Amino acid sequence: MTETPPTAAVLLIGDELLSGRTRDINLQQIAKYLGPLGIPVVESRTVSDVQASIVKAVNDLRAEYTYVFTTGGIGPTHDDITADAIAAAFGVGIGEHPEVIAMLAERYAEMKTEFTPARRRMARVPHGASLVANPVSGAPGFQMENVFTLAGVPQVARAMLEDIGPRLRTGAIVHKVTIRGVGLREGDIAEPLGALAVEMPNVSFGSYPWFRSVGDNGVHLVASTIHPDLIDTIVERLEAIIAATGVTPERLTEEAG
């Protein structure tokens, strides 16, 4: 029996994201990390710092996808409630993890900084969770079954992914190719691109226009497939679609994933 390909969802947590005060980049870097592993991010949600909202989203997503990645809400302040919400979602208790307490105590002692009750909050981990290393600032994330809880700070979240990667079941590598046409208009290629998508069902095609100014506009055509032997044909067909409009196609360098 063929194993179902793995999928992922990202849950972004924080009032600051919904208010617009903070711009998220964690979704992008998680998706870019997982892509070469053959684990596509299929859904993303953003919720406020409300425990009931986090619990519902976690339970919805973990039932639907192979992996769920949450970011945000595991710091030292009163509104950092993600750990409590994860514990509630799984129906387990939460408490200070002895390894984390020892590690943080040593870290703050080295910095000659008081290890306050607020800082001890970062050692609270749901019962039964395994730790996710944080090589940047020390305080770890954690894993509960198929849910990985990461910090909201992008630099820290990205570093935590390195500890998570070896734990994941990988899928088929997705290969991408991007062909752009400067000055191209979507309406000029919509019909032949749609026909190509029907003709090649094993390939995902996307059309992404840009307009920065007059003369600096056009369309990127992006194709994704797990079949590397199709890449040459894809490039030939996309270039032909663009060239038929009188625009010179340009292939951009793009890594797998």
Side-chain angles (χ1 to χ4, degrees):
M1 181 180 294
T2 303
E3 194 171 27
T4 303
T7 56
V10 177
L11 179 61
L12 309 169
I13 300 168
D15 293 342
E16 69 277 8
L17 298 173
L18 291 168
S19 70
R21 289 192 302 272
T22 299
R23 182 176 64 179
D24 171 71
I25 65 170
N26 281 323
L27 171 59
Q28 179 187 40
Q29 62 180 9
I30 291 171
K32 291 183 71 173
Y33 181 84
L34 295 177
L37 301 178
I39 308 173
V41 172
V42 179
E43 182 175 349
S44 172
R45 297 189 193 182
T46 305
V47 297
S48 61
D49 295 310
V50 175
Q51 180 164 316
S53 299
I54 300 170
V55 169
K56 182 180 186 305
V58 167
N59 283 333
D60 288 348
L61 295 173
R62 72 186 179 98
E64 183 73 18
Y65 302 106
T66 313
Y67 302 113
V68 178
F69 296 81
T70 80
T71 70
I74 57 172
T77 60
H78 71 284
D79 58 347
D80 288 313
I81 61 170
T82 298
D84 295 271
I86 298 295
F90 282 88
V92 300
I94 187 170
E96 293 182 346
H97 194 292
E99 292 180 26
V100 182
I101 283 288
M103 181 270 294
L104 291 178
E106 180 179 359
R107 188 180 185 90
Y108 283 111
E110 290 175 352
M111 296 188 296
K112 295 181 171 54
T113 301
E114 184 182 359
F115 190 27
T116 63
R119 294 186 174 111
R120 291 180 71 99
R121 282 178 54 82
M122 294 185 290
R124 298 174 70 250
V125 175
H127 296 164
S130 57
L131 301 180
V132 173
N134 171 6
V136 176
S137 57
F142 54 84
Q143 174 188 357
M144 281 292 291
E145 297 183 8
N146 65 333
V147 178
F148 297 91
T149 297
L150 285 63
V153 177
Q155 180 186 9
V156 178
R158 178 61 185 81
M160 287 179 171
L161 290 173
E162 297 299 330
D163 189 38
I164 293 171
R167 312 183 193 188
L168 304 177
R169 175 171 66 87
T170 57
I173 295 175
V174 177
H175 301 268
K176 292 185 179 180
V177 60
T178 300
I179 312 292
R180 77 170 184 175
V182 177
L184 186 66
R185 298 175 299 182
E186 274 195 304
D188 296 333
I189 51 86
E191 186 174 339
L193 184 64
L196 182 60
V198 172
E199 181 185 337
M200 303 184 73
N202 291 328
V203 183
S204 174
F205 292 96
S207 174
Y208 306 98
W210 85 88
F211 187 93
R212 288 185 282 269
S213 64
V214 176
D216 187 6
N217 63 283
V219 178
H220 289 94
L221 299 183
V222 180
S224 305
T225 181
I226 62 173
H227 304 285
D229 55 304
L230 294 178
I231 292 298
D232 289 343
T233 300
I234 292 168
V235 170
E236 180 182 337
R237 298 295 296 277
L238 291 180
E239 288 181 341
I241 288 173
I242 294 174
T245 69
V247 172
T248 300
E250 303 175 33
R251 181 174 179 178
L252 305 184
T253 301
E254 182 132 17
E255 298 178 356

